Amino acid sequence: MQPTQLKTTGALRSLVQNDKEREMYKFKEELVFFDSVDEKQLFYAPTLGICMLCTHELSEKMQKHLRGEIDFPEFGEMLEAAWNSRVEVYDLGTVKSKFFHIALGLTENCTLACKYCHADAGKPTMMSKELITEAANYAKSKVIEEGLKGINLSFAVGGEPTFHLELLKKAIEAFKNAAADAKTTLKTSMTTNGYYGAELAEYIADTIDNVLISIDGTKDIQDTHRPARGGGGSYEKVLRSMDIVYDRKGELNVRSTISALSVGKMNDFIDFLAQRYNGNVTWVVEPLVPLGRGASCGEDGIEPPDNMEFADNYWKAYLYGKSKGISVKTSALNVGRLVTGFCGAMYIPSFTLTTAGKITTCERDSTGSNYGYGYFDEISKKFIIDEAKVQRNKDLVQMPDKCLSCICRYHCAGDCPDVRTIHYNRCETNRYLLKKYLMSII
């Protein structure tokens, strides 16, 4: 037997497991999995770094050894050797972040009218300057009190963060001053629609450390998915912003929502990205989920794609992207981590501040109604934290019992609680993609 040592620390349905085709065992305290792949068995020991494909006869012999029914010396020696260099699972419940993570929802307004917007953006609301100042002071105090290494500031809540430019500049200035007062570092990130002029694009590229631009594909897809709020397409402006960010940073990170309309056209966009940019491009893709306006859209084929159709087309795009120098990622394939829970933001907890001053853990929770655990009190001028709700959020990301024997246990780790809440099940997608990845490295 020649096992493949993983480099990571961590019909279409032929790769999808069912309860009768999978087995989980323990070697000492480490979990190992057997899963059916076509006519063979996949043996995967994530913490031991072993992945191998074997016959059913060999698989049964290995399983009997693990059950203590027979002695299989070669298999036992392989496990013992791997045990000495095993990788620990990252326990999100016990590890404390070394940074203060804060996300600001500056506005619920937007310059686009995306058909599926999960935040249902377009409301004329904005965060007060006072709240921004208080948030910066709070971040400074937490860094000093807890001896943290720095502040991570994100603009990715609710509407388009550049909609009120004066407010954005105020926030950046306030947090730069807070970091300087605390003698610490400030790292900024932003998810933006890129629908603005060259001057603003240059400012974003020069000011924000990590910029993620939303564009859903080539012109026909983008203009159908993400029209301008005042009418017409958004593609040309967004493309110009992408060019400016790439030119000034030497890299480009873009994100796309994949619908039933676009799921079969992913490689077209890879061709476009590869032809236009000279490397250092990352494309993050996620399927449209029925949240916000996405729960009721459906015109022009703008609806959630079939899970397995997304999985199959994503895998093709992943491989095609590698051949073209484009890194293609999705949250359904987390091979670079071994964790006990999907969402670190729930455990930390992340300090996500909505436009109205509610504190929540999730950047998708733009009103704080789902995962809220505090608020800014206008009378005392203090942030009030409800520890019971903090614990509630942690409980929400505990791994469900159905996940305990799954081959994706340490990668998917129960999946996003937000999609679980609306009963959006990605189990087949996640297992399919993990097994595709494992098969590709054997």
Side-chain angles (χ1 to χ4, degrees):
M1 294 182 295
Q2 294 296 323
T4 297
Q5 295 298 321
L6 302 187
K7 294 181 180 180
T8 175
T9 57
L12 297 180
R13 300 178 189 270
S14 64
L15 288 181
V16 177
Q17 66 188 11
N18 62 55
D19 290 336
K20 295 181 180 179
E21 295 176 328
R22 70 177 188 234
E23 295 289 346
M24 181 187 74
Y25 295 91
K26 271 190 177 183
F27 172 69
K28 299 185 178 180
E29 294 303 314
E30 304 303 313
L31 297 180
V32 299
F33 302 88
F34 292 86
D35 213 323
S36 294
V37 176
D38 297 325
E39 300 300 318
K40 295 190 176 183
Q41 285 269 300
L42 180 68
F43 173 68
Y44 180 43
T47 59
L48 301 180
I50 303 174
C51 177
M52 58 184 293
L53 195 63
C54 52
T55 65
H56 282 274
E57 181 181 7
L58 179 58
S59 171
E60 182 60 29
K61 189 175 179 181
M62 293 159 68
Q63 292 182 54
K64 285 182 177 180
H65 173 88
L66 289 167
R67 292 195 295 264
E69 297 172 6
I70 66 170
D71 184 27
F72 188 177
E74 296 91 344
F75 182 50
E77 290 169 6
M78 181 182 74
L79 294 177
E80 286 289 350
W83 169 265
N84 294 325
S85 59
R86 65 190 181 280
V87 176
E88 288 190 17
V89 176
Y90 192 80
D91 187 349
L92 294 180
T94 60
V95 177
K96 181 175 174 55
S97 175
K98 297 177 181 178
F99 297 85
F100 185 75
H101 298 266
I102 181 167
L104 297 183
L106 297 179
T107 181
E108 293 182 273
N109 222 331
C110 191
T111 48
L112 297 186
C114 302
K115 302 289 182 63
Y116 54 77
C117 180
H118 74 269
D120 197 15
K123 307 175 187 68
T125 57
M126 58 189 291
M127 184 175 284
S128 70
K129 292 181 179 179
E130 178 192 26
L131 186 55
I132 291 173
T133 299
E134 294 294 343
N137 289 336
Y138 184 79
K140 176 178 68 176
S141 68
K142 297 299 285 186
V143 167
I144 295 172
E145 290 170 12
E146 299 181 16
L148 302 178
K149 288 188 174 182
I151 300 171
N152 290 341
L153 171 64
S154 171
F155 300 98
V157 188
E160 167 57 34
T162 66
F163 192 91
H164 297 289
L165 182 56
E166 180 186 357
L167 210 58
L168 174 62
K169 290 183 176 181
K170 164 69 177 175
I172 292 171
E173 178 186 18
F175 276 85
K176 280 185 176 179
N177 291 338
D181 290 344
K183 296 181 174 57
T184 193
T185 61
L186 173 68
K187 291 293 184 182
T188 55
S189 62
M190 174 186 288
T191 300
T192 175
N193 64 25
Y195 187 71
Y196 33 70
E199 184 177 351
L200 180 51
E202 291 170 357
Y203 171 77
I204 297 301
D206 294 342
T207 307
I208 304 298
D209 296 310
N210 299 303
V211 180
L212 181 64
I213 299 177
S214 294
I215 182 170
D216 282 357
T218 51
K219 180 175 172 58
D220 57 329
I221 299 297
Q222 170 73 5
D223 287 346
T224 302
H225 275 197
R226 303 173 63 83
R229 188 172 171 185
S234 61
Y235 178 80
E236 298 298 339
K237 271 192 177 181
V238 177
L239 181 58
R240 181 176 59 187
S241 295
M242 289 166 55
D243 290 345
I244 290 171
V245 169
Y246 185 80
D247 288 343
R248 297 176 93 89
K249 286 188 172 295
E251 64 176 17
L252 181 65
N253 299 291
V254 292
R255 183 201 183 281
S256 297
T257 295
I258 305 299
S259 71
L261 175 68
S262 63
V263 68
K265 302 179 180 180
M266 294 167 71
N267 284 357
D268 294 344
F269 194 49
I270 291 174
D271 280 332
F272 170 80
L273 292 172
Q275 292 168 11
R276 192 172 187 88
Y277 304 107
N278 187 28
N280 290 329
V281 176
T282 298
W283 184 31
V284 180
V285 298
E286 300 293 349
L288 190 160
V289 295
L291 288 168
R293 290 200 288 267
S296 58
C297 66
E299 62 182 67
D300 300 321
I302 306 176
E303 58 188 6
D306 174 80
N307 279 351
M308 292 307 297
E309 188 177 4
F310 171 80
D312 183 55
N313 280 282
Y314 170 78
W315 184 249
K316 291 174 182 176
Y318 171 81
L319 295 177
Y320 190 58
K322 286 182 68 174
S323 73
K324 294 287 187 174
I326 306 294
S327 176
V328 186
K329 299 182 178 181
T330 184
S331 63
L333 183 60
N334 288 306
V335 295
R337 66 177 196 170
L338 298 176
V339 293
T340 59
F342 179 87
C343 184
M346 289 286 203
Y347 283 102
I348 294 171
S350 178
F351 192 95
T352 297
L353 192 60
T354 72
T355 306
K358 299 288 183 64
I359 308 166
T360 181
T361 57
C362 180
E363 293 184 356
R364 292 168 70 159
D365 184 19
S366 59
T367 62
S369 57
N370 295 323
Y371 311 109
Y373 67 91
Y375 63 96
F376 179 69
D377 183 62
E378 293 286 352
I379 298 175
S380 66
K381 304 299 180 184
K382 292 181 179 180
F383 288 101
I384 308 301
I385 306 297
D386 187 331
E387 293 297 340
K389 291 183 177 179
V390 171
Q391 186 58 51
R392 176 208 61 188
N393 289 339
K394 291 181 180 180
D395 292 341
L396 286 174
V397 287
Q398 296 302 310
M399 199 177 298
D401 289 344
K402 69 174 185 175
C403 302
L404 299 180
S405 62
C406 178
I407 194 171
C408 290
R409 172 174 176 158
Y410 294 137
H411 299 289
C412 164
D415 210 347
C416 173
D418 211 30
V419 298
R420 292 207 319 253
T421 298
I422 60 170
H423 307 293
Y424 184 80
N425 191 320
R426 295 198 299 180
C427 294
E428 285 186 331
T429 299
N430 297 348
R431 287 194 287 262
Y432 175 84
L433 289 176
L434 177 62
K435 291 199 282 185
K436 275 288 194 180
Y437 174 80
L438 295 175
M439 292 290 289
S440 76
I441 63 174
I442 292 177

